[in-house]
Amino acid sequence: MYRGHTTAVVVPAYNEEPFVADTVASVPEFVDRVYVVEDGSTDDTWAEIVSAAAAENARHDGDRFEQRVVPIQHERNRGVGGAIKTGYLRARDDRIDLTAVMGGDGQMEPEMLGELFDPIVDGDADYTKGNRFLGRTGRGDMPAFRFVGNATLAALTKVASGYWESGDPQSGYTAISLRALETADVESMYEFYGYCNDILVKLNVAGMRVVDVPRPITYGDEESHIKYRTYVPRVSAMLARNFVWRLKTNYLAFDFHPLVAAYAAGGAASLTAVLAAVWALPGVGSFGTPLARGAVAAAFALLGVLALVFAMVLDRADNAHLNDTVHPAGDPTGGGPERGERELAALTDGRGHAGGDRTVAVELDPQEWAYVLDGGGGDPPSPVAERVRERVRQARRSDAAAD
């Protein structure tokens, strides 16, 4: 358990024979269940999963679930989204509070799993996702072609999903709450690469809050199965369909929002601009001069751009409450350790001493004092929590000395 919540990790694995066993072994001990989904591999991935599961389950005490690692095999390849969907549905059936996804290739950092869970436990999010570009000015070790493809899909995903503050949608390191699994349309989740873009649209329609958490860019010896020349067009078409579905569901079916009219006007004007540009070519149109026809095309293009920008501004404002980011340490806009520092400062005078109208006095019995000072549930305390506990210990020692 993590902070009193049951947890699970879904590990999709397709031809990950060299990496999957190490990935399973790296899952932190506080994770209650690990659903390892072999997705029709052509190598010995399944044998590695079975062996790793046997080793992990042999040393598992079975206090909550008889098996900690659950091997699941697809008879045919369904795609990474299909494997994750299988794991999500099992976690939902098992009533798991927090479910993360860790790829079978070992690219995802197990030590930051708690950082993905924290916003959900704190009630700030229903879905969290690692963002490899928060606070960065470069692409790190990411290959250039991946960076360009990721940036393109990030822009399209913002428009399609309505999560305008969210970035790096291709980062598969995510966590989801049981509430989101029960509310969003997980059953129809896109089953191929692009599932991570598709589920954001489904979460938005369900009114779920999404928070980005910073994570490093990690590349090792693993090989990507993505073919970007077919992947980007295919996912772009899926996002276009999802965009129309989101607008229809959120802003037409049960209510009306003017952003729909703005998007429609922008789309119509843009299409007209394209047709007008063809009409403006010499020898095509017969009315006026090519320059005059070109001016008409430019006017429609400008109208289309203005209408689309206006629609996006309205869309962003309407969805602002559904997304946020945890900024990297040292970023003055907030997040990371700085978030805890600000929360502590809000209850103190800024120097660690309670003061002003923020002072809070409580009486604790001996068992409650032990919980506060010793960490209670056994989860590793944050640095801020540990400093608070140390200050409480010092205050108690000072009081005892004064007595």
Side-chain angles (χ1 to χ4, degrees):
M1 299 185 76
Y2 183 80
R3 294 176 59 188
H5 292 71
T6 54
T7 61
V9 167
V10 177
V11 181
Y14 174 70
N15 288 347
E16 301 292 359
E17 178 186 349
F19 309 106
V20 68
D22 289 339
T23 299
V24 172
S26 72
V27 176
E29 288 295 325
F30 61 74
V31 174
D32 298 293
R33 302 219 86 174
V34 183
Y35 304 102
V36 192
V37 185
E38 191 279 306
D39 191 35
S41 300
T42 57
D43 62 3
D44 288 331
T45 296
W46 178 243
E48 289 293 316
I49 291 173
V50 171
S51 176
E56 289 294 317
N57 290 333
R59 64 184 188 84
H60 177 55
D61 57 16
D63 56 343
R64 182 168 295 272
F65 298 101
E66 184 177 349
Q67 284 186 315
R68 179 174 186 253
V69 180
V70 182
I72 304 171
Q73 187 175 31
H74 286 171
E75 293 183 359
R76 58 178 179 82
N77 179 258
R78 289 172 47 188
V80 63
I84 292 171
K85 181 196 298 186
T86 295
Y88 275 170
L89 295 179
R90 286 292 298 269
R92 189 178 69 181
D93 290 343
D94 288 341
R95 311 297 299 165
I96 300 294
D97 297 322
L98 311 167
T99 302
V101 174
M102 294 178 62
D105 56 10
Q107 284 191 21
M108 298 170 182
E109 308 75 22
E111 61 273 12
M112 71 163 289
L113 193 57
E115 297 174 40
L116 289 173
F117 286 154
D118 281 336
I120 301 176
V121 175
D122 293 338
D124 297 329
D126 300 288
Y127 184 82
T128 57
K129 48 189 286 294
N131 187 328
R132 294 164 290 185
F133 304 109
L134 281 176
R136 291 181 178 270
T137 56
R139 58 185 171 88
D141 296 330
M142 179 175 285
F145 72 95
R146 287 194 185 187
F147 182 78
V148 172
N150 192 291
T152 301
L153 287 173
L156 295 176
T157 302
K158 287 175 184 288
V159 177
S161 70
Y163 290 115
W164 292 89
E165 299 297 327
S166 183
D168 192 19
Q170 307 317 114
S171 172
Y173 203 2
T174 64
I176 191 168
S177 69
L178 179 60
R179 173 174 177 261
L181 286 179
E182 292 177 329
T183 307
D185 186 15
V186 176
E187 288 86 351
S188 66
M189 194 171 77
Y190 194 70
E191 293 201 346
F192 301 99
Y193 290 110
Y195 73 91
C196 43
N197 313 82
D198 173 72
I199 195 171
L200 286 173
V201 182
K202 290 175 168 50
L203 289 167
N204 182 277
V205 170
M208 298 293 102
R209 184 168 169 80
V210 172
V211 170
D212 279 18
V213 177
R215 62 164 293 205
I217 299 176
T218 305
Y219 287 101
D221 298 328
E222 65 287 335
E223 295 183 5
S224 173
H225 302 296
I226 298 177
K227 295 179 175 60
Y228 277 83
R229 279 180 290 186
T230 57
Y231 170 61
V232 173
R234 188 175 185 178
V235 174
S236 298
M238 177 269 292
L239 287 174
R241 295 191 299 270
N242 280 1
F243 169 68
V244 173
W245 172 68
R246 178 175 71 88
L247 293 188
K248 179 184 70 174
T249 305
N250 285 358
Y251 303 116
L252 279 178
F254 304 104
D255 199 0
F256 177 77
H257 195 290
L259 68 85
V260 176
Y263 271 126
S270 299
L271 178 60
T272 303
V274 172
L275 296 176
V278 175
W279 174 63
L281 294 174
V284 177
S286 58
F287 177 79
T289 66
L291 183 60
R293 296 195 298 271
V296 172
F300 274 107
L302 178 60
L303 177 61
V305 169
L306 292 176
L308 289 175
V309 169
F310 179 61
M312 292 177 187
V313 169
L314 292 177
D315 200 5
R316 181 169 187 158
D318 192 64
N319 289 280
H321 66 291
L322 291 179
N323 52 175
D324 199 358
T325 56
V326 175
H327 292 270
D331 188 328
T333 58
E338 317 304 7
R339 176 185 178 189
E341 297 285 1
R342 288 196 313 280
E343 290 173 348
L344 178 62
L347 296 174
T348 65
D349 62 3
R351 297 183 299 273
H353 304 293
D357 59 3
R358 290 288 191 174
T359 301
V360 177
V362 295
E363 292 185 4
L364 302 178
D365 61 33
Q367 184 179 6
E368 290 171 330
W369 273 117
Y371 187 93
V372 170
L373 298 178
D374 298 335
D379 295 326
S382 69
V384 173
E386 185 53 43
R387 288 200 296 275
V388 170
R389 287 173 183 149
E390 181 57 32
R391 288 169 183 160
V392 171
R393 295 187 189 104
Q394 291 176 355
R396 285 172 59 82
R397 286 196 292 267
S398 298
D399 291 343
D403 293 341

